[in-house]
Amino acid sequence: MTPLNIAPSDAVRLQADGRISKQELADRIGLSASPCLRRVRAVEEGGLIVGYRALLDAKALGLTLMALSHIPIDRHTPECFNTFEAAVAGIPGATAVHSSFLLRRVVDKTAFPVGVGP
């Protein structure tokens, strides 16, 4: 059980649908709405729920290419990491940096020069 006292599968449902009504969530985990709302607020305030987001349709926005780029770094120091982080923050379309400095970008494929990309 999680700090919400719900099964991990229900926690996954909450993560997949952050817009689920508190009543529907309460019904799924067997609580009335008031205690469910108190528990959700408690875990929000405790930092377990770190935010709610909208997922946008990249294709509908004209962003038709996802590119993964390996970016080697010669030194692994806090200063290098901070410099890298600042540089990545300025890259249009950068959506995530994964371990080993793998940058994920979602862009319009026409943004790449001819001969670059698929």
Side-chain angles (χ1 to χ4, degrees), residues 44-102:
E44 286 173 340
E45 292 168 4
L48 183 63
I49 296 175
V50 295
Y52 298 93
R53 291 165 180 71
L55 298 176
L56 303 178
D57 183 340
K59 287 181 182 176
L61 292 170
L63 306 174
T64 56
L65 176 70
M66 182 193 53
L68 297 176
S69 305
H70 181 263
I71 303 170
I73 293 182
D74 59 352
R75 293 180 303 158
H76 293 250
T77 65
E79 182 179 286
C80 286
F81 294 146
N82 291 339
T83 301
F84 175 79
E85 187 176 89
V88 167
I91 297 175
T95 60
V97 177
H98 300 278
S99 62
S100 301
F101 306 101
L102 184 64

Side-chain angles (χ1 to χ4, degrees), residues 110 112-117:
T110 62
F112 281 90
V114 174
V116 175

